[in-house]
Amino acid sequence: SQQGEEDPQALSIQEGENATMNCSYKTSINNLQWYRQNSGRGLVHLILIRSNEREKHSGRLRVTLDTSKKSSSLLITASRAADTASYFCATVSRGSTLGRLYFGRGTQLTVWP
Amino acid sequence: EADIYQTPRYLVIGTGKKITLECSQTMGHDKMYWYQQDPGMELHLIHYSYGVNSTEKGDLSSESTVSRIRTEHFPLTLESARPSHTSQYLCASSTTGEGQPQHFGDGTRLSIL
Protein backbone atom coordinates (compact mmCIF):
# COMPACT_ATOMS: atom_id res chain seq x y z
CA SER A 1 0.00 0.00 0.00
CA GLN A 2 1.20 3.51 -0.71
CA GLN A 3 -0.88 4.93 2.10
CA GLY A 4 0.60 6.98 4.85
CA GLU A 5 0.19 5.61 8.33
CA GLU A 6 -0.31 7.95 11.26
CA ASP A 7 0.93 7.33 14.74
CA PRO A 8 -0.48 7.38 17.37
CA GLN A 9 -4.03 6.36 16.47
CA ALA A 10 -5.35 8.49 19.32
CA LEU A 11 -3.86 11.27 21.42
CA SER A 12 -5.39 12.98 24.44
CA ILE A 13 -3.82 16.11 25.95
CA GLN A 14 -4.66 19.18 28.02
CA GLU A 15 -5.10 22.64 26.57
CA GLY A 16 -1.81 24.46 26.28
CA GLU A 17 0.23 21.31 25.69
CA ASN A 18 1.87 20.49 22.39
CA ALA A 19 0.56 17.65 20.21
CA THR A 20 2.83 15.66 17.92
CA MET A 21 1.58 13.27 15.28
CA ASN A 22 3.71 11.16 13.01
CA CYS A 23 3.22 9.79 9.52
CA SER A 24 5.16 7.10 7.71
CA TYR A 25 4.88 6.21 4.04
CA LYS A 26 6.36 3.71 1.62
CA THR A 27 7.04 5.25 -1.79
CA SER A 28 9.00 8.21 -3.13
CA ILE A 29 6.82 11.26 -2.92
CA ASN A 30 6.27 14.53 -4.71
CA ASN A 31 4.73 16.12 -1.65
CA LEU A 32 3.03 15.29 1.63
CA GLN A 33 -0.06 17.05 2.95
CA TRP A 34 -1.80 17.22 6.31
CA TYR A 35 -5.55 17.55 6.69
CA ARG A 36 -7.90 18.02 9.62
CA GLN A 37 -11.37 16.52 9.89
CA ASN A 38 -13.82 17.66 12.52
CA SER A 39 -16.47 15.16 13.53
CA GLY A 40 -19.13 14.82 10.85
CA ARG A 41 -17.40 17.21 8.46
CA GLY A 42 -15.16 17.03 5.42
CA LEU A 43 -11.39 17.33 5.43
CA VAL A 44 -9.68 20.69 5.55
CA HIS A 45 -6.22 21.15 4.06
CA LEU A 46 -3.69 22.40 6.61
CA ILE A 47 -0.26 22.38 5.06
CA LEU A 48 1.73 20.97 2.14
CA ILE A 49 5.43 20.14 2.28
CA ARG A 50 7.37 19.30 -0.87
CA SER A 51 9.91 16.50 -1.07
CA ASN A 52 12.80 18.99 -1.22
CA GLU A 53 11.67 20.78 1.95
CA ARG A 54 12.55 19.69 5.47
CA GLU A 55 10.39 21.92 7.61
CA LYS A 56 7.44 24.21 7.20
CA HIS A 57 5.46 26.44 9.55
CA SER A 58 1.93 27.79 9.46
CA GLY A 59 0.71 29.57 12.57
CA ARG A 60 0.79 27.06 15.42
CA LEU A 61 1.57 24.21 13.02
CA ARG A 62 5.02 22.88 12.31
CA VAL A 63 5.59 20.08 9.82
CA THR A 64 8.84 18.22 9.25
CA LEU A 65 9.72 15.81 6.50
CA ASP A 66 12.50 13.23 6.46
CA THR A 67 12.55 11.58 3.04
CA SER A 68 15.39 9.24 4.03
CA LYS A 69 13.17 7.76 6.73
CA LYS A 70 9.99 8.24 4.73
CA SER A 71 8.36 10.00 7.63
CA SER A 72 6.75 13.29 8.57
CA SER A 73 5.56 14.85 11.78
CA LEU A 74 2.91 17.45 12.57
CA LEU A 75 3.37 19.53 15.70
CA ILE A 76 0.54 21.65 17.05
CA THR A 77 1.83 24.05 19.68
CA ALA A 78 -0.22 25.48 22.57
CA SER A 79 -3.19 23.30 21.70
CA ARG A 80 -6.77 24.44 22.19
CA ALA A 81 -10.02 22.56 22.68
CA ALA A 82 -10.96 23.65 19.15
CA ASP A 83 -8.03 21.59 17.82
CA THR A 84 -9.94 18.42 18.72
CA ALA A 85 -10.28 16.56 15.42
CA SER A 86 -8.83 13.75 13.34
CA TYR A 87 -5.62 14.56 11.51
CA PHE A 88 -4.65 12.78 8.30
CA CYS A 89 -1.48 12.76 6.28
CA ALA A 90 -1.74 12.25 2.55
CA THR A 91 1.06 11.56 0.10
CA VAL A 92 1.43 12.27 -3.59
CA SER A 93 3.66 9.72 -5.26
CA ARG A 94 6.49 10.97 -7.44
CA GLY A 95 5.64 10.59 -11.11
CA SER A 96 1.96 10.04 -10.48
CA THR A 97 0.01 11.03 -13.59
CA LEU A 98 -3.11 11.90 -11.65
CA GLY A 99 -1.29 13.39 -8.69
CA ARG A 100 -3.76 11.61 -6.46
CA LEU A 101 -3.57 11.58 -2.68
CA TYR A 102 -3.15 8.46 -0.55
CA PHE A 103 -4.55 8.92 2.94
CA GLY A 104 -3.73 7.14 6.18
CA ARG A 105 -6.22 6.23 8.90
CA GLY A 106 -5.61 9.39 10.87
CA THR A 107 -4.81 10.37 14.44
CA GLN A 108 -7.75 11.27 16.66
CA LEU A 109 -6.66 14.23 18.79
CA THR A 110 -8.66 15.20 21.86
CA VAL A 111 -7.74 18.40 23.68
CA TRP A 112 -9.30 18.77 27.13
CA PRO A 113 -10.09 22.24 28.51
CA GLU B 1 -16.69 29.05 3.91
CA ALA B 2 -17.42 25.95 1.83
CA ASP B 3 -17.06 26.31 -1.91
CA ILE B 4 -17.96 22.69 -2.47
CA TYR B 5 -21.40 21.49 -1.53
CA GLN B 6 -22.81 18.05 -0.98
CA THR B 7 -26.45 17.10 -0.61
CA PRO B 8 -28.04 15.49 1.19
CA ARG B 9 -25.96 15.53 4.38
CA TYR B 10 -27.74 12.47 5.73
CA LEU B 11 -29.80 9.84 3.95
CA VAL B 12 -31.52 6.81 5.41
CA ILE B 13 -33.21 4.71 2.77
CA GLY B 14 -34.36 1.17 2.08
CA THR B 15 -32.63 -1.53 0.09
CA GLY B 16 -33.15 -1.50 -3.66
CA LYS B 17 -33.72 2.25 -4.03
CA LYS B 18 -31.90 4.35 -6.60
CA ILE B 19 -29.82 7.09 -4.96
CA THR B 20 -28.02 10.12 -6.34
CA LEU B 21 -25.57 12.01 -4.16
CA GLU B 22 -25.00 15.55 -5.36
CA CYS B 23 -21.70 17.43 -5.39
CA SER B 24 -21.15 20.93 -6.74
CA GLN B 25 -18.18 23.30 -6.57
CA THR B 26 -17.95 26.97 -7.44
CA MET B 27 -14.18 27.21 -7.76
CA GLY B 28 -13.92 26.19 -11.41
CA HIS B 29 -11.72 23.22 -10.53
CA ASP B 30 -11.11 20.71 -13.30
CA LYS B 31 -10.39 17.75 -11.05
CA MET B 32 -13.06 16.20 -8.86
CA TYR B 33 -13.07 13.10 -6.66
CA TRP B 34 -15.38 10.84 -4.70
CA TYR B 35 -14.09 9.08 -1.58
CA GLN B 36 -15.70 6.53 0.69
CA GLN B 37 -14.85 6.66 4.38
CA ASP B 38 -15.96 4.33 7.16
CA PRO B 39 -15.73 5.56 10.79
CA GLY B 40 -12.16 5.76 12.04
CA MET B 41 -10.78 4.59 8.73
CA GLU B 42 -8.83 6.04 5.83
CA LEU B 43 -10.39 7.54 2.74
CA HIS B 44 -10.71 5.30 -0.30
CA LEU B 45 -10.89 6.85 -3.75
CA ILE B 46 -13.84 5.40 -5.69
CA HIS B 47 -14.15 7.80 -8.68
CA TYR B 48 -12.32 10.77 -10.14
CA SER B 49 -12.61 13.13 -13.07
CA TYR B 50 -10.07 15.26 -14.93
CA GLY B 51 -12.75 17.45 -16.47
CA VAL B 52 -15.99 17.47 -18.41
CA ASN B 53 -16.86 14.07 -19.94
CA SER B 54 -13.89 12.45 -18.15
CA THR B 55 -14.53 9.88 -15.41
CA GLU B 56 -12.39 7.06 -14.05
CA LYS B 57 -12.74 4.44 -11.34
CA GLY B 58 -10.52 4.68 -8.30
CA ASP B 59 -8.88 2.04 -6.14
CA LEU B 60 -11.89 0.80 -4.26
CA SER B 61 -14.32 -1.21 -6.32
CA SER B 62 -17.69 0.47 -6.19
CA GLU B 63 -21.05 -0.32 -7.71
CA SER B 64 -21.72 3.38 -8.02
CA THR B 65 -21.42 5.43 -11.20
CA VAL B 66 -20.57 9.08 -11.79
CA SER B 67 -21.03 11.64 -14.52
CA ARG B 68 -19.35 14.96 -15.35
CA ILE B 69 -21.48 16.90 -17.78
CA ARG B 70 -20.62 20.28 -16.27
CA THR B 71 -17.38 21.41 -14.66
CA GLU B 72 -19.07 22.32 -11.40
CA HIS B 73 -21.21 19.21 -10.98
CA PHE B 74 -20.11 15.62 -10.18
CA PRO B 75 -23.03 13.47 -9.01
CA LEU B 76 -22.68 9.89 -7.80
CA THR B 77 -25.45 7.35 -8.41
CA LEU B 78 -26.26 4.01 -6.88
CA GLU B 79 -28.80 2.19 -9.04
CA SER B 80 -29.89 -0.24 -6.33
CA ALA B 81 -28.75 0.50 -2.81
CA ARG B 82 -27.68 -2.32 -0.47
CA PRO B 83 -26.72 -2.35 3.23
CA SER B 84 -23.07 -2.81 2.19
CA HIS B 85 -23.22 0.70 0.69
CA THR B 86 -23.70 2.22 4.15
CA SER B 87 -20.81 4.64 4.61
CA GLN B 88 -19.80 8.27 4.40
CA TYR B 89 -19.20 9.65 0.90
CA LEU B 90 -16.92 12.66 0.51
CA CYS B 91 -16.58 14.76 -2.61
CA ALA B 92 -13.47 16.84 -3.30
CA SER B 93 -12.01 19.05 -6.00
CA SER B 94 -8.62 20.49 -6.90
CA THR B 95 -6.94 22.64 -9.50
CA THR B 96 -4.99 21.13 -12.36
CA GLY B 97 -1.46 20.17 -11.45
CA GLU B 98 0.23 17.31 -9.71
CA GLY B 99 -0.62 16.86 -6.07
CA GLN B 100 -2.57 20.05 -5.51
CA PRO B 101 -4.47 20.39 -2.20
CA GLN B 102 -7.99 19.10 -2.35
CA HIS B 103 -11.06 20.95 -1.13
CA PHE B 104 -13.67 18.73 0.49
CA GLY B 105 -17.39 18.93 0.97
CA ASP B 106 -18.93 17.99 4.31
CA GLY B 107 -19.97 14.58 3.03
CA THR B 108 -23.11 12.52 2.81
CA ARG B 109 -23.66 9.96 5.52
CA LEU B 110 -25.61 7.16 3.86
CA SER B 111 -27.44 4.40 5.72
CA ILE B 112 -29.14 1.62 3.80
CA LEU B 113 -31.66 -0.38 5.80
Side-chain angles (χ1 to χ4, degrees):
Chain A
S1 168
Q2 294 170 286
Q3 293 167 339
E5 293 185 8
E6 292 89 346
D7 172 62
Q9 290 187 341
L11 181 61
S12 184
I13 59 174
Q14 294 289 131
E15 264 192 332
E17 294 180 341
N18 295 342
T20 300
M21 290 158 270
N22 302 297
C23 170
S24 60
Y25 58 91
K26 296 181 179 178
T27 64
S28 294
I29 61 170
N30 177 286
N31 69 57
L32 185 145
Q33 302 175 27
W34 285 91
Y35 288 78
R36 183 187 75 227
Q37 184 179 33
N38 289 87
S39 181
R41 306 295 297 272
L43 279 72
V44 174
H45 178 259
L46 295 176
I47 197 164
L48 181 154
I49 186 165
R50 301 188 191 286
S51 59
N52 61 354
E53 297 175 309
R54 291 296 167 259
E55 188 171 312
K56 205 162 183 180
H57 296 256
S58 177
R60 293 184 296 113
L61 305 181
R62 174 178 167 248
V63 170
T64 62
L65 179 65
D66 187 336
T67 53
S68 67
K69 295 181 179 179
K70 290 186 168 58
S71 68
S72 173
S73 68
L74 170 67
L75 169 68
I76 303 174
T77 60
S79 62
R80 306 166 183 168
D83 294 329
T84 295
S86 291
Y87 291 82
F88 294 85
C89 70
T91 56
V92 179
S93 297
R94 185 178 301 281
S96 166
T97 53
L98 174 64
R100 57 159 299 176
L101 298 177
Y102 290 90
F103 288 87
R105 294 188 176 187
T107 292
Q108 172 61 52
L109 173 66
T110 302
V111 182
W112 298 100
Chain B
E1 59 291 318
D3 296 314
I4 180 162
Y5 306 94
Q6 290 186 243
T7 57
R9 287 292 316 278
Y10 304 93
L11 180 61
V12 181
I13 200 165
T15 298
K17 301 291 186 183
K18 179 179 179 178
I19 300 166
T20 297
L21 307 184
E22 302 287 350
C23 176
S24 294
Q25 50 98 2
T26 60
M27 297 170 283
H29 289 167
D30 285 326
K31 291 183 178 179
M32 295 190 75
Y33 315 82
W34 276 103
Y35 293 91
Q36 187 173 337
Q37 182 187 31
D38 291 319
M41 302 297 284
E42 67 266 50
L43 281 71
H44 292 286
L45 183 68
I46 51 175
H47 297 283
Y48 60 93
S49 168
Y50 283 116
V52 172
N53 294 326
S54 152
T55 62
E56 301 287 345
K57 288 189 178 294
D59 297 329
L60 186 66
S61 175
S62 175
E63 294 163 348
S64 58
T65 59
V66 292
S67 63
R68 189 89 183 276
I69 299 172
R70 304 197 315 266
T71 298
E72 62 271 21
H73 196 213
F74 191 40
L76 181 146
T77 298
L78 280 163
E79 289 293 332
S80 180
R82 295 208 298 269
S84 60
H85 297 140
T86 295
S87 189
Q88 175 162 256
Y89 294 83
L90 292 166
C91 180
S93 70
S94 69
T95 58
T96 304
E98 187 177 335
Q100 294 299 308
Q102 294 183 11
H103 298 254
F104 283 79
D106 280 337
T108 293
R109 191 169 296 276
L110 179 64
S111 294
I112 310 298
L113 305 177

